[in-house]
Amino acid sequence: MKNCEYQQIDPQALPTPTPTPPPHHGNDSDKKEEPKRPRRKWEVFPGKNRFYCEGRIIVARQSGVLPLTLGLILVTSGLFFIFDCPFLVKHLTSCIPVIGGVLFVFVVITLLQTSFTDPGILPRATPDEAADIEKQIDNTGNTSYRPPPRTKEVLINQQVVKLKYCFTCKMFRPPRTSHCSLCDNCVERFDHHCPWVGNCVGKRNYRFFYTFIVSLSFLTAFIFGCVTTHLALRAQGGKGLVFALQESPGSAVELVICFFSVWSILGLSGFHTYLVASNLTTNEDIKGSWSGKSGEDVTNPYSHKNIFINCCSVLCGPMPPSLIDRRGFLPTDDSAQTGGTDIEVPTLATKSEINVCTQGTKGLLESATLPPLLSTSCPQGKPQTAHTCPDSSPAVNSDPSPELSMGCGARHAASSQGDASPSRHTKACSKKSKRAALHIPNTAFDIPVSPTSPDAASFAPLH
Amino acid sequence: FFVQTHSLQDLQQPAVSSKVFIQRDYSSGTICKFQTKFPSELESRLDKQQFEETIQTLNNLYAEAEKLGGKSYLEGCLACLTAYTIFLCMETHYEKVLKKIARYIKDQNEKIYAPRGLLLTDPIERGLRVVEITIFEDRSIGSGR
């Protein structure tokens, strides 16, 4: 049994001459414990994401060209409604703005949902878990150098699949999970990082993304058709195209935009329809994981072998919950430290994995090389640095070590105030659990189940 | 000695002696399923059967949450028609089952694990990666078994 080498047990065991025993153990660590505002998890989130609305909205750090995408859609649709609709309503039918309106609303809503939804980010492993895995891999003296890449093989539906170890998140990635370097997160069922929506596309928001591109294709095609009809009608009677364009300049703009976008968007929709029908991700398709390139007999182990079922499972399956619990409370921690030190990789910059998938050949629009559009100051939460964790010992603070700040946020539920149950199910008050921790008879384990049950965490030795 | 420390020594906030992590079982694909292999560290504390039953029930519950069937398709199609805005107001089937799982774990902790100095952590708190079982040192004076 490994015991905590650090003082955490001491304050309890020894009569440290503090008149008021701090309800938390870490009184040796620096800061005094005046009740601070309990922080939520999104504030110390280690990935490169930005949060708005108190953690309800999540976007990638680089918003990519999302403003451009939104702008193009709004401008084109706006011009359509202003210039083309009046004419077409008069000469054709008034259904046109209705259909256009519905499509437009669909497009904008699904775009925003794709951009603002957690794509399926996997929270990083807690220090204890990471240590456990390290133990299993039997690696010693790994503090100074990076061990060779580790893989684990599993058999899924009679297919051998290699699971890779993610050095940043300190865990073996589940199948189909990939680490996005732009967002610095492992994302489940990672499809690709889309600069146009400014977010990764993964398990949770793939259906939004698919609906977005499909409805966008319809919208673009619809507008294109309407504009063409409009101009054709205007140019009737020998008046000529130029005349028509002069009368309705907005249509010219729309024509250009739609003409260039409709092919790429239609192409993208077609490609993703193929992916959905075969239950593949862009990532897998590009890497050729299941196409038998290596000469072996490989098939996609995740496919249900039936197009209909594949489509249903990808698009209409149950919506998985967000695993990162952005709005949960952090237990306010004090002595964060050491827990993570020996697992802590000094430089976070080490990332082994692929991530941004350029759909170069296929998806003409998706290109990871687009320079990220602006990066205006993020109004809230720069979640990455450890400075949001003021109580962690300064030594560790210098290096933004997300696991640590996550760890320090999550582990030592010592203080009187932090809510010790970041669990989404019970946001019970910390004080109660604090006292519970102190006076807990052996059986009263009714502390809200949390990653940092105060009693456990107080003594959390590093294994 | 201070009263507090004295009483602390008495009641002895149980020290964590170690944690066991039950990893995911990916043999059936990406669905949430945990390995039922009985870890050796628990041998002294728990019955193998009890453990397997807990894990198996958890697996079944997760399977229920992720099940593809008429009801989930209906929910999905309806969501699609409303541009997925119903997700903002409605609690999904998955979330309902997660609550059920939380209740089950609490129940198991109270009845079976706590009396043996163990504590199950809800996997959702660990990103559905592991089932964490905390083993407490059994040095309490008059408690537990």
PDB file of all heavy atoms in Angstrom, chain A residues 348-381:
ATOM      1  N   LEU A 348       3.464  19.839 -21.910  1.00  0.00           N
ATOM      2  CA  LEU A 348       2.198  19.380 -22.419  1.00  0.00           C
ATOM      3  C   LEU A 348       2.206  19.274 -23.907  1.00  0.00           C
ATOM      4  O   LEU A 348       1.315  18.743 -24.521  1.00  0.00           O
ATOM      5  CB  LEU A 348       1.145  20.389 -22.071  1.00  0.00           C
ATOM      6  CG  LEU A 348       0.601  20.068 -20.745  1.00  0.00           C
ATOM      7  CD1 LEU A 348      -0.674  20.811 -20.613  1.00  0.00           C
ATOM      8  CD2 LEU A 348       0.315  18.591 -20.676  1.00  0.00           C
ATOM      9  N   ALA A 349       3.225  19.817 -24.474  1.00  0.00           N
ATOM     10  CA  ALA A 349       3.164  19.943 -25.921  1.00  0.00           C
ATOM     11  C   ALA A 349       3.260  18.610 -26.624  1.00  0.00           C
ATOM     12  O   ALA A 349       3.096  18.524 -27.810  1.00  0.00           O
ATOM     13  CB  ALA A 349       4.301  20.843 -26.384  1.00  0.00           C
ATOM     14  N   THR A 350       3.518  17.608 -25.881  1.00  0.00           N
ATOM     15  CA  THR A 350       3.692  16.334 -26.557  1.00  0.00           C
ATOM     16  C   THR A 350       2.356  15.744 -26.951  1.00  0.00           C
ATOM     17  O   THR A 350       1.539  15.408 -26.143  1.00  0.00           O
ATOM     18  CB  THR A 350       4.361  15.322 -25.620  1.00  0.00           C
ATOM     19  OG1 THR A 350       3.504  15.160 -24.497  1.00  0.00           O
ATOM     20  CG2 THR A 350       5.687  15.852 -25.164  1.00  0.00           C
ATOM     21  N   LYS A 351       2.167  15.662 -28.207  1.00  0.00           N
ATOM     22  CA  LYS A 351       0.928  15.061 -28.618  1.00  0.00           C
ATOM     23  C   LYS A 351       1.273  14.065 -29.688  1.00  0.00           C
ATOM     24  O   LYS A 351       1.961  14.355 -30.638  1.00  0.00           O
ATOM     25  CB  LYS A 351       0.033  16.120 -29.225  1.00  0.00           C
ATOM     26  CG  LYS A 351      -1.366  15.895 -28.872  1.00  0.00           C
ATOM     27  CD  LYS A 351      -1.956  17.184 -28.382  1.00  0.00           C
ATOM     28  CE  LYS A 351      -1.013  17.852 -27.465  1.00  0.00           C
ATOM     29  NZ  LYS A 351      -1.110  19.277 -27.538  1.00  0.00           N
ATOM     30  N   SER A 352       0.825  12.895 -29.552  1.00  0.00           N
ATOM     31  CA  SER A 352       1.225  11.940 -30.541  1.00  0.00           C
ATOM     32  C   SER A 352       0.277  11.870 -31.707  1.00  0.00           C
ATOM     33  O   SER A 352       0.614  11.355 -32.735  1.00  0.00           O
ATOM     34  CB  SER A 352       1.321  10.568 -29.894  1.00  0.00           C
ATOM     35  OG  SER A 352       0.288  10.466 -28.947  1.00  0.00           O
ATOM     36  N   GLU A 353      -0.887  12.345 -31.529  1.00  0.00           N
ATOM     37  CA  GLU A 353      -1.883  11.979 -32.494  1.00  0.00           C
ATOM     38  C   GLU A 353      -2.304  12.895 -33.602  1.00  0.00           C
ATOM     39  O   GLU A 353      -2.137  14.092 -33.583  1.00  0.00           O
ATOM     40  CB  GLU A 353      -3.122  11.486 -31.761  1.00  0.00           C
ATOM     41  CG  GLU A 353      -2.950  10.047 -31.339  1.00  0.00           C
ATOM     42  CD  GLU A 353      -2.045   9.263 -32.253  1.00  0.00           C
ATOM     43  OE1 GLU A 353      -2.328   9.163 -33.447  1.00  0.00           O
ATOM     44  OE2 GLU A 353      -1.024   8.774 -31.774  1.00  0.00           O
ATOM     45  N   ILE A 354      -2.906  12.286 -34.472  1.00  0.00           N
ATOM     46  CA  ILE A 354      -3.422  12.853 -35.696  1.00  0.00           C
ATOM     47  C   ILE A 354      -4.235  14.076 -35.507  1.00  0.00           C
ATOM     48  O   ILE A 354      -3.816  15.190 -35.658  1.00  0.00           O
ATOM     49  CB  ILE A 354      -4.374  11.865 -36.378  1.00  0.00           C
ATOM     50  CG1 ILE A 354      -4.401  10.544 -35.664  1.00  0.00           C
ATOM     51  CG2 ILE A 354      -4.045  11.843 -37.802  1.00  0.00           C
ATOM     52  CD1 ILE A 354      -5.231  10.502 -34.513  1.00  0.00           C
ATOM     53  N   ASN A 355      -5.465  13.867 -35.254  1.00  0.00           N
ATOM     54  CA  ASN A 355      -6.402  14.962 -35.018  1.00  0.00           C
ATOM     55  C   ASN A 355      -6.976  15.601 -36.250  1.00  0.00           C
ATOM     56  O   ASN A 355      -7.789  15.061 -36.937  1.00  0.00           O
ATOM     57  CB  ASN A 355      -5.685  16.067 -34.311  1.00  0.00           C
ATOM     58  CG  ASN A 355      -4.443  16.357 -35.027  1.00  0.00           C
ATOM     59  OD1 ASN A 355      -4.412  17.027 -36.030  1.00  0.00           O
ATOM     60  ND2 ASN A 355      -3.386  15.788 -34.536  1.00  0.00           N
ATOM     61  N   VAL A 356      -6.571  16.773 -36.540  1.00  0.00           N
ATOM     62  CA  VAL A 356      -7.286  17.470 -37.596  1.00  0.00           C
ATOM     63  C   VAL A 356      -7.203  16.728 -38.897  1.00  0.00           C
ATOM     64  O   VAL A 356      -6.151  16.483 -39.440  1.00  0.00           O
ATOM     65  CB  VAL A 356      -6.682  18.836 -37.863  1.00  0.00           C
ATOM     66  CG1 VAL A 356      -7.482  19.523 -38.912  1.00  0.00           C
ATOM     67  CG2 VAL A 356      -6.680  19.612 -36.587  1.00  0.00           C
ATOM     68  N   CYS A 357      -8.328  16.379 -39.370  1.00  0.00           N
ATOM     69  CA  CYS A 357      -8.357  15.633 -40.590  1.00  0.00           C
ATOM     70  C   CYS A 357      -8.660  16.543 -41.728  1.00  0.00           C
ATOM     71  O   CYS A 357      -9.705  17.133 -41.800  1.00  0.00           O
ATOM     72  CB  CYS A 357      -9.474  14.640 -40.490  1.00  0.00           C
ATOM     73  SG  CYS A 357      -8.800  13.061 -40.370  1.00  0.00           S
ATOM     74  N   THR A 358      -7.766  16.642 -42.610  1.00  0.00           N
ATOM     75  CA  THR A 358      -8.100  17.462 -43.758  1.00  0.00           C
ATOM     76  C   THR A 358      -8.811  16.561 -44.731  1.00  0.00           C
ATOM     77  O   THR A 358      -8.291  15.543 -45.152  1.00  0.00           O
ATOM     78  CB  THR A 358      -6.843  17.979 -44.422  1.00  0.00           C
ATOM     79  OG1 THR A 358      -6.061  16.839 -44.760  1.00  0.00           O
ATOM     80  CG2 THR A 358      -6.069  18.819 -43.448  1.00  0.00           C
ATOM     81  N   GLN A 359      -9.977  16.975 -45.050  1.00  0.00           N
ATOM     82  CA  GLN A 359     -10.723  16.142 -45.980  1.00  0.00           C
ATOM     83  C   GLN A 359     -10.283  16.510 -47.372  1.00  0.00           C
ATOM     84  O   GLN A 359     -11.043  16.459 -48.309  1.00  0.00           O
ATOM     85  CB  GLN A 359     -12.200  16.422 -45.853  1.00  0.00           C
ATOM     86  CG  GLN A 359     -12.744  15.971 -44.542  1.00  0.00           C
ATOM     87  CD  GLN A 359     -14.224  15.923 -44.602  1.00  0.00           C
ATOM     88  OE1 GLN A 359     -14.786  15.552 -45.604  1.00  0.00           O
ATOM     89  NE2 GLN A 359     -14.886  16.309 -43.543  1.00  0.00           N
ATOM     90  N   GLY A 360      -9.082  16.980 -47.421  1.00  0.00           N
ATOM     91  CA  GLY A 360      -8.527  17.510 -48.660  1.00  0.00           C
ATOM     92  C   GLY A 360      -9.156  17.026 -49.925  1.00  0.00           C
ATOM     93  O   GLY A 360      -9.789  17.766 -50.645  1.00  0.00           O
ATOM     94  N   THR A 361      -9.008  15.795 -50.192  1.00  0.00           N
ATOM     95  CA  THR A 361      -9.456  15.331 -51.494  1.00  0.00           C
ATOM     96  C   THR A 361     -10.971  15.308 -51.611  1.00  0.00           C
ATOM     97  O   THR A 361     -11.529  15.583 -52.648  1.00  0.00           O
ATOM     98  CB  THR A 361      -8.959  13.908 -51.744  1.00  0.00           C
ATOM     99  OG1 THR A 361      -9.319  13.120 -50.617  1.00  0.00           O
ATOM    100  CG2 THR A 361      -7.459  13.909 -51.875  1.00  0.00           C
ATOM    101  N   LYS A 362     -11.620  14.951 -50.562  1.00  0.00           N
ATOM    102  CA  LYS A 362     -13.036  14.758 -50.688  1.00  0.00           C
ATOM    103  C   LYS A 362     -13.842  15.985 -50.347  1.00  0.00           C
ATOM    104  O   LYS A 362     -14.511  16.558 -51.166  1.00  0.00           O
ATOM    105  CB  LYS A 362     -13.481  13.590 -49.823  1.00  0.00           C
ATOM    106  CG  LYS A 362     -12.490  12.471 -49.917  1.00  0.00           C
ATOM    107  CD  LYS A 362     -13.159  11.146 -49.753  1.00  0.00           C
ATOM    108  CE  LYS A 362     -12.097  10.062 -49.851  1.00  0.00           C
ATOM    109  NZ  LYS A 362     -12.599   8.756 -49.746  1.00  0.00           N
ATOM    110  N   GLY A 363     -13.760  16.376 -49.100  1.00  0.00           N
ATOM    111  CA  GLY A 363     -14.541  17.530 -48.688  1.00  0.00           C
ATOM    112  C   GLY A 363     -13.812  18.776 -49.092  1.00  0.00           C
ATOM    113  O   GLY A 363     -12.875  19.205 -48.458  1.00  0.00           O
ATOM    114  N   LEU A 364     -14.234  19.378 -50.134  1.00  0.00           N
ATOM    115  CA  LEU A 364     -13.462  20.494 -50.649  1.00  0.00           C
ATOM    116  C   LEU A 364     -13.393  21.644 -49.683  1.00  0.00           C
ATOM    117  O   LEU A 364     -12.497  22.446 -49.713  1.00  0.00           O
ATOM    118  CB  LEU A 364     -14.107  20.963 -51.953  1.00  0.00           C
ATOM    119  CG  LEU A 364     -14.619  19.768 -52.769  1.00  0.00           C
ATOM    120  CD1 LEU A 364     -15.655  20.219 -53.756  1.00  0.00           C
ATOM    121  CD2 LEU A 364     -13.452  19.122 -53.460  1.00  0.00           C
ATOM    122  N   LEU A 365     -14.373  21.746 -48.844  1.00  0.00           N
ATOM    123  CA  LEU A 365     -14.369  22.894 -47.960  1.00  0.00           C
ATOM    124  C   LEU A 365     -13.552  22.706 -46.723  1.00  0.00           C
ATOM    125  O   LEU A 365     -13.040  23.646 -46.165  1.00  0.00           O
ATOM    126  CB  LEU A 365     -15.793  23.221 -47.527  1.00  0.00           C
ATOM    127  CG  LEU A 365     -16.689  23.738 -48.635  1.00  0.00           C
ATOM    128  CD1 LEU A 365     -18.011  24.088 -48.049  1.00  0.00           C
ATOM    129  CD2 LEU A 365     -16.055  24.947 -49.267  1.00  0.00           C
ATOM    130  N   GLU A 366     -13.479  21.484 -46.232  1.00  0.00           N
ATOM    131  CA  GLU A 366     -12.876  21.295 -44.945  1.00  0.00           C
ATOM    132  C   GLU A 366     -11.373  21.351 -45.081  1.00  0.00           C
ATOM    133  O   GLU A 366     -10.753  20.511 -45.667  1.00  0.00           O
ATOM    134  CB  GLU A 366     -13.259  19.922 -44.384  1.00  0.00           C
ATOM    135  CG  GLU A 366     -14.720  19.606 -44.573  1.00  0.00           C
ATOM    136  CD  GLU A 366     -15.571  20.436 -43.650  1.00  0.00           C
ATOM    137  OE1 GLU A 366     -15.021  21.021 -42.710  1.00  0.00           O
ATOM    138  OE2 GLU A 366     -16.775  20.477 -43.881  1.00  0.00           O
ATOM    139  N   SER A 367     -10.811  22.330 -44.538  1.00  0.00           N
ATOM    140  CA  SER A 367      -9.360  22.404 -44.636  1.00  0.00           C
ATOM    141  C   SER A 367      -8.795  22.925 -43.350  1.00  0.00           C
ATOM    142  O   SER A 367      -9.104  24.011 -42.893  1.00  0.00           O
ATOM    143  CB  SER A 367      -8.974  23.314 -45.785  1.00  0.00           C
ATOM    144  OG  SER A 367      -7.692  23.836 -45.538  1.00  0.00           O
ATOM    145  N   ALA A 368      -7.978  22.131 -42.781  1.00  0.00           N
ATOM    146  CA  ALA A 368      -7.431  22.526 -41.493  1.00  0.00           C
ATOM    147  C   ALA A 368      -6.409  23.610 -41.622  1.00  0.00           C
ATOM    148  O   ALA A 368      -5.941  24.174 -40.663  1.00  0.00           O
ATOM    149  CB  ALA A 368      -6.821  21.323 -40.814  1.00  0.00           C
ATOM    150  N   THR A 369      -6.011  23.881 -42.851  1.00  0.00           N
ATOM    151  CA  THR A 369      -4.945  24.855 -42.985  1.00  0.00           C
ATOM    152  C   THR A 369      -5.455  26.277 -43.093  1.00  0.00           C
ATOM    153  O   THR A 369      -4.691  27.206 -43.241  1.00  0.00           O
ATOM    154  CB  THR A 369      -4.109  24.567 -44.243  1.00  0.00           C
ATOM    155  OG1 THR A 369      -5.010  24.511 -45.358  1.00  0.00           O
ATOM    156  CG2 THR A 369      -3.400  23.243 -44.094  1.00  0.00           C
ATOM    157  N   LEU A 370      -6.735  26.417 -43.049  1.00  0.00           N
ATOM    158  CA  LEU A 370      -7.278  27.768 -43.079  1.00  0.00           C
ATOM    159  C   LEU A 370      -6.768  28.511 -41.874  1.00  0.00           C
ATOM    160  O   LEU A 370      -6.875  28.041 -40.774  1.00  0.00           O
ATOM    161  CB  LEU A 370      -8.796  27.723 -43.020  1.00  0.00           C
ATOM    162  CG  LEU A 370      -9.497  27.570 -44.355  1.00  0.00           C
ATOM    163  CD1 LEU A 370     -10.982  27.564 -44.100  1.00  0.00           C
ATOM    164  CD2 LEU A 370      -9.139  28.709 -45.273  1.00  0.00           C
ATOM    165  N   PRO A 371      -6.225  29.620 -42.068  1.00  0.00           N
ATOM    166  CA  PRO A 371      -5.737  30.365 -40.910  1.00  0.00           C
ATOM    167  C   PRO A 371      -6.911  30.693 -40.024  1.00  0.00           C
ATOM    168  O   PRO A 371      -7.944  31.116 -40.505  1.00  0.00           O
ATOM    169  CB  PRO A 371      -5.140  31.640 -41.509  1.00  0.00           C
ATOM    170  CG  PRO A 371      -5.732  31.742 -42.869  1.00  0.00           C
ATOM    171  CD  PRO A 371      -6.062  30.358 -43.314  1.00  0.00           C
ATOM    172  N   PRO A 372      -6.739  30.475 -38.791  1.00  0.00           N
ATOM    173  CA  PRO A 372      -7.866  30.718 -37.904  1.00  0.00           C
ATOM    174  C   PRO A 372      -8.250  32.180 -37.934  1.00  0.00           C
ATOM    175  O   PRO A 372      -7.410  33.052 -37.862  1.00  0.00           O
ATOM    176  CB  PRO A 372      -7.333  30.327 -36.531  1.00  0.00           C
ATOM    177  CG  PRO A 372      -5.870  30.271 -36.683  1.00  0.00           C
ATOM    178  CD  PRO A 372      -5.536  30.087 -38.088  1.00  0.00           C
ATOM    179  N   LEU A 373      -9.505  32.404 -38.082  1.00  0.00           N
ATOM    180  CA  LEU A 373      -9.977  33.771 -38.142  1.00  0.00           C
ATOM    181  C   LEU A 373      -9.879  34.393 -36.797  1.00  0.00           C
ATOM    182  O   LEU A 373     -10.355  33.826 -35.829  1.00  0.00           O
ATOM    183  CB  LEU A 373     -11.444  33.760 -38.532  1.00  0.00           C
ATOM    184  CG  LEU A 373     -11.765  34.373 -39.881  1.00  0.00           C
ATOM    185  CD1 LEU A 373     -13.209  34.769 -39.884  1.00  0.00           C
ATOM    186  CD2 LEU A 373     -10.904  35.603 -40.112  1.00  0.00           C
ATOM    187  N   LEU A 374      -9.301  35.500 -36.699  1.00  0.00           N
ATOM    188  CA  LEU A 374      -9.196  36.243 -35.449  1.00  0.00           C
ATOM    189  C   LEU A 374      -9.157  35.357 -34.242  1.00  0.00           C
ATOM    190  O   LEU A 374      -9.452  34.212 -34.282  1.00  0.00           O
ATOM    191  CB  LEU A 374     -10.376  37.182 -35.310  1.00  0.00           C
ATOM    192  CG  LEU A 374     -11.702  36.645 -34.738  1.00  0.00           C
ATOM    193  CD1 LEU A 374     -12.842  37.415 -35.250  1.00  0.00           C
ATOM    194  CD2 LEU A 374     -11.934  35.238 -34.659  1.00  0.00           C
ATOM    195  N   SER A 375      -8.797  35.934 -33.181  1.00  0.00           N
ATOM    196  CA  SER A 375      -9.043  35.253 -31.933  1.00  0.00           C
ATOM    197  C   SER A 375      -9.234  36.355 -30.959  1.00  0.00           C
ATOM    198  O   SER A 375      -8.301  36.797 -30.318  1.00  0.00           O
ATOM    199  CB  SER A 375      -7.859  34.407 -31.505  1.00  0.00           C
ATOM    200  OG  SER A 375      -8.117  33.071 -31.709  1.00  0.00           O
ATOM    201  N   THR A 376     -10.401  36.817 -30.959  1.00  0.00           N
ATOM    202  CA  THR A 376     -10.627  37.936 -30.053  1.00  0.00           C
ATOM    203  C   THR A 376     -10.549  37.416 -28.646  1.00  0.00           C
ATOM    204  O   THR A 376     -10.673  36.239 -28.397  1.00  0.00           O
ATOM    205  CB  THR A 376     -12.020  38.549 -30.269  1.00  0.00           C
ATOM    206  OG1 THR A 376     -12.948  37.481 -30.292  1.00  0.00           O
ATOM    207  CG2 THR A 376     -12.054  39.286 -31.575  1.00  0.00           C
ATOM    208  N   SER A 377     -10.351  38.304 -27.783  1.00  0.00           N
ATOM    209  CA  SER A 377     -10.148  37.889 -26.406  1.00  0.00           C
ATOM    210  C   SER A 377     -11.357  37.106 -25.961  1.00  0.00           C
ATOM    211  O   SER A 377     -12.494  37.455 -26.246  1.00  0.00           O
ATOM    212  CB  SER A 377     -10.011  39.118 -25.537  1.00  0.00           C
ATOM    213  OG  SER A 377     -11.155  39.916 -25.711  1.00  0.00           O
ATOM    214  N   CYS A 378     -11.085  36.036 -25.315  1.00  0.00           N
ATOM    215  CA  CYS A 378     -12.231  35.285 -24.849  1.00  0.00           C
ATOM    216  C   CYS A 378     -12.748  35.940 -23.605  1.00  0.00           C
ATOM    217  O   CYS A 378     -12.014  36.195 -22.680  1.00  0.00           O
ATOM    218  CB  CYS A 378     -11.897  33.837 -24.524  1.00  0.00           C
ATOM    219  SG  CYS A 378     -10.232  33.399 -24.779  1.00  0.00           S
ATOM    220  N   PRO A 379     -13.995  36.173 -23.628  1.00  0.00           N
ATOM    221  CA  PRO A 379     -14.617  36.888 -22.512  1.00  0.00           C
ATOM    222  C   PRO A 379     -14.503  36.134 -21.204  1.00  0.00           C
ATOM    223  O   PRO A 379     -14.340  36.720 -20.163  1.00  0.00           O
ATOM    224  CB  PRO A 379     -16.074  37.009 -22.911  1.00  0.00           C
ATOM    225  CG  PRO A 379     -16.256  36.041 -24.030  1.00  0.00           C
ATOM    226  CD  PRO A 379     -14.932  35.853 -24.654  1.00  0.00           C
ATOM    227  N   GLN A 380     -14.594  34.849 -21.273  1.00  0.00           N
ATOM    228  CA  GLN A 380     -14.568  34.135 -20.019  1.00  0.00           C
ATOM    229  C   GLN A 380     -13.620  32.982 -20.092  1.00  0.00           C
ATOM    230  O   GLN A 380     -13.213  32.568 -21.127  1.00  0.00           O
ATOM    231  CB  GLN A 380     -15.944  33.555 -19.712  1.00  0.00           C
ATOM    232  CG  GLN A 380     -16.927  34.590 -19.356  1.00  0.00           C
ATOM    233  CD  GLN A 380     -18.296  33.980 -19.437  1.00  0.00           C
ATOM    234  OE1 GLN A 380     -18.434  32.853 -19.880  1.00  0.00           O
ATOM    235  NE2 GLN A 380     -19.288  34.702 -19.035  1.00  0.00           N
ATOM    236  N   GLY A 381     -13.405  32.503 -18.946  1.00  0.00           N
ATOM    237  CA  GLY A 381     -12.655  31.257 -18.800  1.00  0.00           C
ATOM    238  C   GLY A 381     -11.571  31.030 -19.803  1.00  0.00           C
ATOM    239  O   GLY A 381     -11.800  30.524 -20.879  1.00  0.00           O
TER     240      GLY A 381
END
